[in-house]
Amino acid sequence: MPKTKKSIVFCHGLWADGSCFSKLIVPLQAEGYECIAAQYGLNTTAEDVAAAKETIGRVSGPVILVGHSYGGSVITGAGTDDRVVGLVYIAALAPDADETSQTQQAKFPGTDVFSQIEVVDGRIWLRPEGTKYFCGDLSEEEQKLVWATQGAPKPDLFEAKVGGTAWKSKPSWYIVAKKDHTVHPDLERAMAERMGATTYEVASSHVPMLSQPGFVLDVIRKAAGA
């Protein structure tokens, strides 16, 4: 029987791993979508983009890439792959060719979460108190789980260019998190406008896929059906 549905590959951000998409993957799989989440070390952007491309190879094409937060930088680089036909950004970064994740953020006001981080043993860790700025609309139990499963990045992760600008050539959808205290909502709106994305706004913290999964699922379904 011929394949009719697009496959979906998820790319996570800082202080997260692929499990942050669990509320999306389970229902999408039930609907017949091939889904997989890229797991990478947050050591270098080049390694993370390469891991995303390798993960694309584990599902059938064509592929929709979904990136959250720094995962938006990852899909911006990895999305130039010919197997990718669309991009979904969730409260995400999306650097241009001459930008890095850091220079992009520097153009907008700093956010509260960065007052709750510390560098220890060569990694940037989110303090337990920082979850209120990262995922404060989740239950206390879920916030503790987010903290306990965080992926801590290398300090210079944001300094590298991503090696491609997929949103210049691929259809894009963007979810703005209006109550975000990690990536500034004005940055999100500016990125969505610049890439000409189909844009949606939701009253959410930085993690709409956990706090508003139904909303995010609807956007992914629209992207996958386009």
Side-chain angles (χ1 to χ4, degrees), residues 133-183:
Y133 298 125
F134 187 71
C135 54
D137 49 357
L138 302 183
S139 69
E140 182 180 355
E141 290 77 13
E142 282 190 294
Q143 289 187 50
K144 288 180 177 179
L145 179 60
V146 166
W147 181 85
T149 57
Q150 66 177 286
K154 289 282 190 180
D156 60 352
L157 180 67
F158 275 17
E159 301 299 332
K161 295 177 182 178
V162 300
T165 49
W167 49 263
K168 289 188 174 180
S169 59
K170 306 285 175 79
S172 300
W173 290 258
Y174 199 109
I175 297 172
V176 174
K178 294 192 288 184
K179 297 182 178 180
D180 202 333
H181 292 273
T182 298
V183 173

Side-chain angles (χ1 to χ4, degrees), residues 56-187:
I56 291 168
R58 303 309 303 159
V59 294
S60 307
V63 170
I64 299 292
L65 279 184
V66 181
H68 170 246
S69 193
Y70 161 77
S73 295
V74 175
I75 70 171
T76 295
T80 56
D81 189 291
D82 289 342
R83 294 168 289 188
V84 175
V85 296
L87 311 163
V88 178
Y89 291 83
I90 306 172
L93 304 175
D96 206 338
D98 60 346
E99 296 175 325
T100 67
S101 300
Q102 182 58 43
T103 59
Q104 189 176 55
Q105 289 193 101
K107 298 174 183 178
F108 293 84
T111 52
D112 295 322
V113 77
F114 292 104
S115 67
Q116 298 294 333
I117 60 174
E118 55 186 344
V119 180
V120 180
D121 296 329
R123 296 281 178 178
I124 303 175
W125 300 90
L126 181 66
R127 297 190 182 108
E129 301 79 19
T131 59
K132 66 181 178 181
Y133 298 125
F134 187 71
C135 54
D137 49 357
L138 302 183
S139 69
E140 182 180 355
E141 290 77 13
E142 282 190 294
Q143 289 187 50
K144 288 180 177 179
L145 179 60
V146 166
W147 181 85
T149 57
Q150 66 177 286
K154 289 282 190 180
D156 60 352
L157 180 67
F158 275 17
E159 301 299 332
K161 295 177 182 178
V162 300
T165 49
W167 49 263
K168 289 188 174 180
S169 59
K170 306 285 175 79
S172 300
W173 290 258
Y174 199 109
I175 297 172
V176 174
K178 294 192 288 184
K179 297 182 178 180
D180 202 333
H181 292 273
T182 298
V183 173
H184 200 286
D186 286 346
L187 184 158

Side-chain angles (χ1 to χ4, degrees), residues 137 176-180 201-205 208 211-212 215:
D137 49 357
V176 174
K178 294 192 288 184
K179 297 182 178 180
D180 202 333
E201 298 206 5
V202 61
S204 170
S205 68
S211 64
Q212 302 280 349
F215 184 95

